[in-house]
Amino acid sequence: MHWSERYIGQPYIRGDQDCAALAERVAREVLGIDVQVPAQRGQGAFSRSAQIEREKFDVAERVDEPIDGQPVIMICCGRAQHIGVMCDLGGEWWVLHADEGFGAVIRQRLRDLAPGGIRVEGFYRWMHA
């Protein structure tokens, strides 16, 4: 069983169990990394996008290829406003993310994001002490 199974189906709760909180929790519980994403989240697409652009390099560095258990920033509605966690399942990449519209944590094939209107902004690796 892949580590991501335990998160699938957990409810989406804005500010408490949203996409950033999920990524932070996976970093701590799976990777043993204490990541501190901002507790205060922007409201709305413009605010979330500006916050991500302003603060992403404080906690992560961009990498060329996805890494299992590490973050991915996604573009929704034309703006980078969503974060997920990469999952390598049998040589295929999936994204674990807390989806507000679905109301829960889901796992989607990376190749299936684009048909759903989501693009990858970039793959990242958490920075930690």
Side-chain angles (χ1 to χ4, degrees):
M1 182 168 86
H2 191 264
W3 58 262
S4 61
E5 295 289 331
R6 70 180 130 177
Y7 299 100
I8 296 172
Q10 292 181 359
Y12 176 96
I13 302 170
R14 181 182 298 276
D16 184 40
Q17 289 184 186
D18 58 14
C19 63
L22 173 66
E24 180 180 66
R25 199 165 72 243
V26 168
R28 184 179 59 254
E29 294 174 0
V30 175
L31 303 174
I33 300 170
D34 185 26
V35 175
Q36 298 296 314
V37 298
Q40 193 69 10
R41 315 264 203 274
Q43 299 298 311
F46 291 106
S47 181
R48 281 192 301 264
S49 181
Q51 183 176 21
I52 287 171
E53 287 303 312
R54 197 174 50 248
E55 299 173 1
K56 66 184 173 186
F57 293 116
D58 292 342
V59 295
E61 61 184 350
R62 186 185 292 268
V63 295
D64 293 332
E65 299 292 327
I67 303 169
D68 191 53
Q70 297 287 345
V72 57
I73 294 177
M74 294 170 278
I75 297 171
C76 308
C77 302
R79 302 207 172 276
Q81 59 170 319
H82 191 47
I83 186 170
V85 181
M86 295 306 302
C87 304
D88 183 1
L89 286 125
E92 183 170 17
W93 287 106
W94 293 68
V95 179
L96 181 76
H97 59 111
D99 186 274
E100 184 175 14
F102 191 72
V105 175
I106 61 174
R107 189 175 61 199
Q108 292 180 279
R109 283 184 176 90
L110 182 60
R111 63 185 159 119
D112 292 340
L113 293 179
I118 300 172
R119 293 180 319 170
V120 170
E121 183 272 345
F123 303 110
Y124 291 82
R125 175 178 33 229
W126 295 118
M127 293 186 298
H128 58 283

